PDB file of all heavy atoms in Angstrom:
ATOM      1  N   ALA A  23       5.188  16.969  20.607  1.00 97.00           N
ATOM      2  CA  ALA A  23       5.982  17.953  20.062  1.00 97.00           C
ATOM      3  C   ALA A  23       5.331  18.652  18.913  1.00 97.00           C
ATOM      4  O   ALA A  23       4.679  18.053  18.071  1.00 97.00           O
ATOM      5  CB  ALA A  23       7.347  17.403  19.507  1.00 97.00           C
ATOM      6  N   ASN A  29      11.765  21.308  11.452  1.00 97.00           N
ATOM      7  CA  ASN A  29      11.845  19.887  11.412  1.00 97.00           C
ATOM      8  C   ASN A  29      11.617  19.278  12.758  1.00 97.00           C
ATOM      9  O   ASN A  29      11.995  19.819  13.804  1.00 97.00           O
ATOM     10  CB  ASN A  29      13.066  19.439  10.741  1.00 97.00           C
ATOM     11  CG  ASN A  29      13.170  19.875   9.363  1.00 97.00           C
ATOM     12  OD1 ASN A  29      12.214  20.176   8.609  1.00 97.00           O
ATOM     13  ND2 ASN A  29      14.460  19.988   8.913  1.00 97.00           N
ATOM     14  N   VAL A  32      13.255  12.447  15.980  1.00 97.00           N
ATOM     15  CA  VAL A  32      12.933  11.666  17.197  1.00 97.00           C
ATOM     16  C   VAL A  32      13.658  10.351  17.119  1.00 97.00           C
ATOM     17  O   VAL A  32      13.557   9.691  16.126  1.00 97.00           O
ATOM     18  CB  VAL A  32      11.473  11.528  17.566  1.00 97.00           C
ATOM     19  CG1 VAL A  32      11.286  10.793  18.842  1.00 97.00           C
ATOM     20  CG2 VAL A  32      10.781  12.948  17.616  1.00 97.00           C
ATOM     21  N   ALA A  39       4.212   8.811  20.560  1.00 98.00           N
ATOM     22  CA  ALA A  39       4.331  10.254  20.327  1.00 98.00           C
ATOM     23  C   ALA A  39       3.279  10.815  19.423  1.00 98.00           C
ATOM     24  O   ALA A  39       2.665  10.203  18.660  1.00 98.00           O
ATOM     25  CB  ALA A  39       5.711  10.531  19.772  1.00 98.00           C
ATOM     26  N   ALA A  44       4.160  22.670  11.056  1.00 93.00           N
ATOM     27  CA  ALA A  44       3.419  23.367   9.962  1.00 93.00           C
ATOM     28  C   ALA A  44       4.023  23.350   8.723  1.00 93.00           C
ATOM     29  O   ALA A  44       3.394  23.513   7.612  1.00 93.00           O
ATOM     30  CB  ALA A  44       3.205  24.814  10.481  1.00 93.00           C
ATOM     31  N   ASP A  51      13.136   7.235  14.079  1.00 95.00           N
ATOM     32  CA  ASP A  51      13.858   6.053  13.686  1.00 95.00           C
ATOM     33  C   ASP A  51      13.321   4.787  14.191  1.00 95.00           C
ATOM     34  O   ASP A  51      13.094   3.736  13.500  1.00 95.00           O
ATOM     35  CB  ASP A  51      15.355   6.081  14.047  1.00 95.00           C
ATOM     36  CG  ASP A  51      15.624   5.980  15.481  1.00 95.00           C
ATOM     37  OD1 ASP A  51      14.704   6.310  16.291  1.00 95.00           O
ATOM     38  OD2 ASP A  51      16.710   5.552  15.926  1.00 95.00           O
ATOM     39  N   VAL A  66       7.805  12.585   5.580  1.00 98.00           N
ATOM     40  CA  VAL A  66       7.722  11.843   6.733  1.00 98.00           C
ATOM     41  C   VAL A  66       8.557  10.534   6.579  1.00 98.00           C
ATOM     42  O   VAL A  66       8.348   9.832   5.657  1.00 98.00           O
ATOM     43  CB  VAL A  66       6.317  11.467   7.105  1.00 98.00           C
ATOM     44  CG1 VAL A  66       6.290  10.630   8.416  1.00 98.00           C
ATOM     45  CG2 VAL A  66       5.454  12.692   7.355  1.00 98.00           C
ATOM     46  N   ARG A  67       9.502  10.295   7.476  1.00 98.00           N
ATOM     47  CA  ARG A  67      10.427   9.060   7.400  1.00 98.00           C
ATOM     48  C   ARG A  67      10.241   8.472   8.789  1.00 98.00           C
ATOM     49  O   ARG A  67      10.681   8.946   9.807  1.00 98.00           O
ATOM     50  CB  ARG A  67      11.802   9.511   7.066  1.00 98.00           C
ATOM     51  CG  ARG A  67      11.986  10.155   5.685  1.00 98.00           C
ATOM     52  CD  ARG A  67      11.821   9.042   4.562  1.00 98.00           C
ATOM     53  NE  ARG A  67      11.950   9.519   3.287  1.00 98.00           N
ATOM     54  CZ  ARG A  67      11.043  10.132   2.546  1.00 98.00           C
ATOM     55  NH1 ARG A  67       9.775  10.097   3.014  1.00 98.00           N
ATOM     56  NH2 ARG A  67      11.255  10.498   1.340  1.00 98.00           N
ATOM     57  N   GLY A  69      10.993   4.721  10.941  1.00 97.00           N
ATOM     58  CA  GLY A  69      11.622   3.354  10.891  1.00 97.00           C
ATOM     59  C   GLY A  69      10.784   2.262  11.484  1.00 97.00           C
ATOM     60  O   GLY A  69       9.625   2.041  10.980  1.00 97.00           O
ATOM     61  N   GLY A  99      -0.193  14.882  -2.331  1.00 90.00           N
ATOM     62  CA  GLY A  99       0.475  14.804  -3.589  1.00 90.00           C
ATOM     63  C   GLY A  99       1.803  14.009  -3.610  1.00 90.00           C
ATOM     64  O   GLY A  99       2.524  14.080  -4.595  1.00 90.00           O
ATOM     65  N   ASP A 101       4.550  10.502  -2.783  1.00 97.00           N
ATOM     66  CA  ASP A 101       4.669   9.044  -2.825  1.00 97.00           C
ATOM     67  C   ASP A 101       4.539   8.510  -1.380  1.00 97.00           C
ATOM     68  O   ASP A 101       4.854   9.096  -0.393  1.00 97.00           O
ATOM     69  CB  ASP A 101       5.933   8.677  -3.416  1.00 97.00           C
ATOM     70  CG  ASP A 101       6.151   9.052  -4.881  1.00 97.00           C
ATOM     71  OD1 ASP A 101       5.059   9.182  -5.568  1.00 97.00           O
ATOM     72  OD2 ASP A 101       7.253   9.186  -5.355  1.00 97.00           O
ATOM     73  N   ALA A 135      -3.152   9.852  -9.341  1.00 92.00           N
ATOM     74  CA  ALA A 135      -2.297   9.752 -10.485  1.00 92.00           C
ATOM     75  C   ALA A 135      -0.992   9.094 -10.062  1.00 92.00           C
ATOM     76  O   ALA A 135      -0.101   9.815  -9.776  1.00 92.00           O
ATOM     77  CB  ALA A 135      -2.100  11.074 -11.250  1.00 92.00           C
ATOM     78  N   GLY A 142       2.866  -8.139  -0.945  1.00 86.00           N
ATOM     79  CA  GLY A 142       2.588  -9.441  -0.237  1.00 86.00           C
ATOM     80  C   GLY A 142       1.447  -9.126   0.751  1.00 86.00           C
ATOM     81  O   GLY A 142       1.717  -8.771   1.907  1.00 86.00           O
ATOM     82  N   PRO A 146      -8.076  -8.753   2.538  1.00 92.00           N
ATOM     83  CA  PRO A 146      -8.803  -8.053   1.451  1.00 92.00           C
ATOM     84  C   PRO A 146      -7.995  -6.975   0.813  1.00 92.00           C
ATOM     85  O   PRO A 146      -7.220  -6.209   1.601  1.00 92.00           O
ATOM     86  CB  PRO A 146     -10.139  -7.639   1.950  1.00 92.00           C
ATOM     87  CG  PRO A 146     -10.268  -8.402   3.241  1.00 92.00           C
ATOM     88  CD  PRO A 146      -8.876  -8.666   3.782  1.00 92.00           C
ATOM     89  N   MET A 147      -8.081  -6.686  -0.430  1.00 94.00           N
ATOM     90  CA  MET A 147      -7.349  -5.600  -1.165  1.00 94.00           C
ATOM     91  C   MET A 147      -8.313  -4.772  -1.826  1.00 94.00           C
ATOM     92  O   MET A 147      -9.307  -5.212  -2.594  1.00 94.00           O
ATOM     93  CB  MET A 147      -6.461  -6.127  -2.165  1.00 94.00           C
ATOM     94  CG  MET A 147      -5.193  -7.037  -1.601  1.00 94.00           C
ATOM     95  SD  MET A 147      -4.123  -7.441  -2.914  1.00 94.00           S
ATOM     96  CE  MET A 147      -5.136  -8.390  -3.950  1.00 94.00           C
ATOM     97  N   ALA A 153      -4.868   7.058 -12.869  1.00 92.00           N
ATOM     98  CA  ALA A 153      -3.915   7.011 -13.970  1.00 92.00           C
ATOM     99  C   ALA A 153      -2.587   6.389 -13.572  1.00 92.00           C
ATOM    100  O   ALA A 153      -1.699   7.003 -13.034  1.00 92.00           O
ATOM    101  CB  ALA A 153      -3.578   8.404 -14.588  1.00 92.00           C
ATOM    102  N   GLY A 154      -2.613   5.032 -13.723  1.00 94.00           N
ATOM    103  CA  GLY A 154      -1.382   4.239 -13.284  1.00 94.00           C
ATOM    104  C   GLY A 154      -1.707   2.818 -13.332  1.00 94.00           C
ATOM    105  O   GLY A 154      -2.892   2.420 -13.438  1.00 94.00           O
ATOM    106  N   PHE A 164      -8.094 -14.801   1.631  1.00 73.00           N
ATOM    107  CA  PHE A 164      -8.860 -13.652   1.766  1.00 73.00           C
ATOM    108  C   PHE A 164     -10.119 -13.973   2.712  1.00 73.00           C
ATOM    109  O   PHE A 164     -10.828 -14.890   2.433  1.00 73.00           O
ATOM    110  CB  PHE A 164      -9.415 -13.096   0.465  1.00 73.00           C
ATOM    111  CG  PHE A 164      -8.468 -12.477  -0.359  1.00 73.00           C
ATOM    112  CD1 PHE A 164      -8.794 -12.044  -1.713  1.00 73.00           C
ATOM    113  CD2 PHE A 164      -7.119 -12.388  -0.066  1.00 73.00           C
ATOM    114  CE1 PHE A 164      -7.801 -11.504  -2.484  1.00 73.00           C
ATOM    115  CE2 PHE A 164      -6.160 -11.751  -0.733  1.00 73.00           C
ATOM    116  CZ  PHE A 164      -6.540 -11.256  -2.080  1.00 73.00           C
ATOM    117  N   GLY A 166     -12.551 -11.886   2.717  1.00 85.00           N
ATOM    118  CA  GLY A 166     -13.584 -11.220   2.044  1.00 85.00           C
ATOM    119  C   GLY A 166     -13.190 -10.799   0.602  1.00 85.00           C
ATOM    120  O   GLY A 166     -12.134 -11.128   0.205  1.00 85.00           O
ATOM    121  N   GLY A 175      -4.282   2.282 -17.190  1.00 93.00           N
ATOM    122  CA  GLY A 175      -3.164   1.515 -16.877  1.00 93.00           C
ATOM    123  C   GLY A 175      -3.452   0.030 -17.005  1.00 93.00           C
ATOM    124  O   GLY A 175      -4.588  -0.401 -17.232  1.00 93.00           O
ATOM    125  N   ILE A 178      -1.845  -6.151 -13.037  1.00 96.00           N
ATOM    126  CA  ILE A 178      -1.080  -7.408 -13.105  1.00 96.00           C
ATOM    127  C   ILE A 178      -1.153  -8.002 -11.613  1.00 96.00           C
ATOM    128  O   ILE A 178      -0.747  -7.403 -10.673  1.00 96.00           O
ATOM    129  CB  ILE A 178       0.412  -7.118 -13.364  1.00 96.00           C
ATOM    130  CG1 ILE A 178       0.435  -6.423 -14.695  1.00 96.00           C
ATOM    131  CG2 ILE A 178       1.194  -8.381 -13.462  1.00 96.00           C
ATOM    132  CD1 ILE A 178       1.731  -5.990 -15.192  1.00 96.00           C
ATOM    133  N   PRO A 186      -7.865 -20.764  -2.647  1.00 91.00           N
ATOM    134  CA  PRO A 186      -9.251 -20.808  -2.976  1.00 91.00           C
ATOM    135  C   PRO A 186      -9.723 -19.351  -3.315  1.00 91.00           C
ATOM    136  O   PRO A 186      -9.874 -18.508  -2.353  1.00 91.00           O
ATOM    137  CB  PRO A 186      -9.922 -21.348  -1.755  1.00 91.00           C
ATOM    138  CG  PRO A 186      -8.875 -21.967  -0.983  1.00 91.00           C
ATOM    139  CD  PRO A 186      -7.671 -21.221  -1.284  1.00 91.00           C
ATOM    140  N   ILE A 222     -14.619  -9.785 -20.763  1.00 92.00           N
ATOM    141  CA  ILE A 222     -14.778 -10.362 -19.348  1.00 92.00           C
ATOM    142  C   ILE A 222     -14.230 -11.663 -19.216  1.00 92.00           C
ATOM    143  O   ILE A 222     -14.450 -12.563 -20.073  1.00 92.00           O
ATOM    144  CB  ILE A 222     -16.307 -10.327 -18.961  1.00 92.00           C
ATOM    145  CG1 ILE A 222     -16.955  -8.948 -19.114  1.00 92.00           C
ATOM    146  CG2 ILE A 222     -16.521 -10.807 -17.598  1.00 92.00           C
ATOM    147  CD1 ILE A 222     -18.410  -8.913 -19.047  1.00 92.00           C
ATOM    148  N   MET A 225     -12.761 -17.096 -13.586  1.00 94.00           N
ATOM    149  CA  MET A 225     -12.216 -18.343 -13.358  1.00 94.00           C
ATOM    150  C   MET A 225     -12.235 -18.647 -11.833  1.00 94.00           C
ATOM    151  O   MET A 225     -12.410 -17.696 -11.017  1.00 94.00           O
ATOM    152  CB  MET A 225     -10.790 -18.487 -13.845  1.00 94.00           C
ATOM    153  CG  MET A 225      -9.836 -17.386 -13.178  1.00 94.00           C
ATOM    154  SD  MET A 225      -8.163 -17.634 -13.854  1.00 94.00           S
ATOM    155  CE  MET A 225      -7.284 -16.384 -12.924  1.00 94.00           C
ATOM    156  N   LYS A 247       0.796 -16.958 -12.092  1.00 93.00           N
ATOM    157  CA  LYS A 247       1.074 -17.777 -10.964  1.00 93.00           C
ATOM    158  C   LYS A 247       2.170 -17.257 -10.210  1.00 93.00           C
ATOM    159  O   LYS A 247       3.212 -17.067 -10.718  1.00 93.00           O
ATOM    160  CB  LYS A 247       1.276 -19.279 -11.443  1.00 93.00           C
ATOM    161  CG  LYS A 247       0.159 -19.922 -12.108  1.00 93.00           C
ATOM    162  CD  LYS A 247       0.403 -21.387 -12.463  1.00 93.00           C
ATOM    163  CE  LYS A 247      -0.772 -22.046 -13.161  1.00 93.00           C
ATOM    164  NZ  LYS A 247      -0.448 -23.508 -13.506  1.00 93.00           N
ATOM    165  N   LEU A 256      12.373  -2.791  -0.105  1.00 46.00           N
ATOM    166  CA  LEU A 256      11.922  -1.525  -0.615  1.00 46.00           C
ATOM    167  C   LEU A 256      12.919  -0.477  -0.221  1.00 46.00           C
ATOM    168  O   LEU A 256      13.562  -0.499   0.795  1.00 46.00           O
ATOM    169  CB  LEU A 256      10.518  -1.196   0.025  1.00 46.00           C
ATOM    170  CG  LEU A 256       9.425  -2.201  -0.322  1.00 46.00           C
ATOM    171  CD1 LEU A 256       8.149  -1.802   0.393  1.00 46.00           C
ATOM    172  CD2 LEU A 256       9.119  -2.283  -1.797  1.00 46.00           C
ATOM    173  N   GLU A 277       8.464 -11.417 -10.436  1.00 42.00           N
ATOM    174  CA  GLU A 277       9.722 -11.611 -11.119  1.00 42.00           C
ATOM    175  C   GLU A 277      10.085 -10.340 -11.866  1.00 42.00           C
ATOM    176  O   GLU A 277       9.128  -9.587 -12.188  1.00 42.00           O
ATOM    177  CB  GLU A 277       9.706 -12.713 -12.209  1.00 42.00           C
ATOM    178  CG  GLU A 277       9.673 -14.048 -11.591  1.00 42.00           C
ATOM    179  CD  GLU A 277       9.694 -15.153 -12.626  1.00 42.00           C
ATOM    180  OE1 GLU A 277       9.195 -14.965 -13.711  1.00 42.00           O
ATOM    181  OE2 GLU A 277      10.294 -16.236 -12.409  1.00 42.00           O
TER     182      GLU A 277
END
Side-chain angles (χ1 to χ4, degrees):
N29 299 332
V32 179
D51 71 336
V66 177
R67 296 289 181 269
D101 295 331
M147 298 184 297
F164 288 179
I178 303 172
I222 303 173
M225 65 179 175
K247 293 183 179 180
L256 298 178
E277 288 187 327

